[in-house]
Amino acid sequence: MGKCEQCIVREISSLKALNKDELIKLAECKTSYTIKKGNPIFEEGDLVNGIYCVTTGACKLSKLSPNGKDQIIKLVKAGELLGQRSMISDEPANLSAVALEDMEVCFIPKSEVISMFDKNNQFSMNMMKTICGDLKEASEHMISISQKTVKERLAETLVYLEETFGKKEDGSLRIQLSREELAGMIGTATESCIRLLSDFNKTGLIGLIGKKIVIKDLAKLKRIADIV
């Protein structure tokens, strides 16, 4: 595992406010893990007691609804942090984080993070801004579900998947969500999601290769999703 001062997470997240000495201290207390695809980093109800830095890979943050469906709230990519809200509020995790592909993560204990809060105002301010950003994202997701049609939400999600995570060499989306996961993300039944994907395929917006999705007309998907 590389040095904290050269890490992608430091470039993107609130850790960019830390100086070299603080980063060296961080490197001494962190624990690095490899999380295999499909395995949890933590589960709903767990006490996180620190933050996770995602150095490679991506995961889904999801909540199990009373009827047993997995509602995806957010996708997290390399360079982001996990667990900061529950660590600061001293509450168990309200979401589960599960790897969508093999991941490398580093865990920094709460005691270390809080000690940096006390010494580095910019670091604590950056982390508060990140949490505020997460809250804004969550409220925008709720507004989207209540105001947009399922078709618009599917188009929006497909655009997001390509623009955020990119494509594989064969042109398919790099992050392949199952039909159930896609349905959970847009807040509809799996059957409706499958039917809409089939419609998008027939009209040339996307191509389907088995379970893989290839986006063929990004501009038109953006128009459907009402993304300027």
Side-chain angles (χ1 to χ4, degrees), residues 4 13 42 94 108 135 163:
C4 289
S13 76
F42 55 80
N94 66 330
I108 304 161
L135 283 170
E163 291 192 337

Side-chain angles (χ1 to χ4, degrees), residues 139-185:
S139 62
E140 282 173 351
H141 183 65
M142 291 301 296
I143 291 164
S144 170
I145 280 185
S146 63
Q147 293 183 353
K148 289 191 172 185
T149 65
V150 179
K151 181 180 179 179
E152 287 167 340
R153 295 199 302 269
L154 178 58
E156 186 176 56
T157 300
L158 292 173
V159 169
Y160 164 75
L161 287 171
E162 176 162 313
E163 291 192 337
T164 307
F165 298 97
K167 299 183 284 189
K168 292 181 180 171
E169 284 179 12
D170 64 1
S172 65
L173 294 173
R174 188 171 75 78
I175 292 294
Q176 289 292 340
L177 298 176
S178 69
R179 301 303 188 249
E180 290 78 15
E181 286 171 330
L182 253 183
M185 202 162 170

Side-chain angles (χ1 to χ4, degrees), residues 21 23 52 107 155 195-196:
D21 289 346
L23 287 164
Y52 289 91
F107 178 75
R195 200 161 46 246
L196 270 173

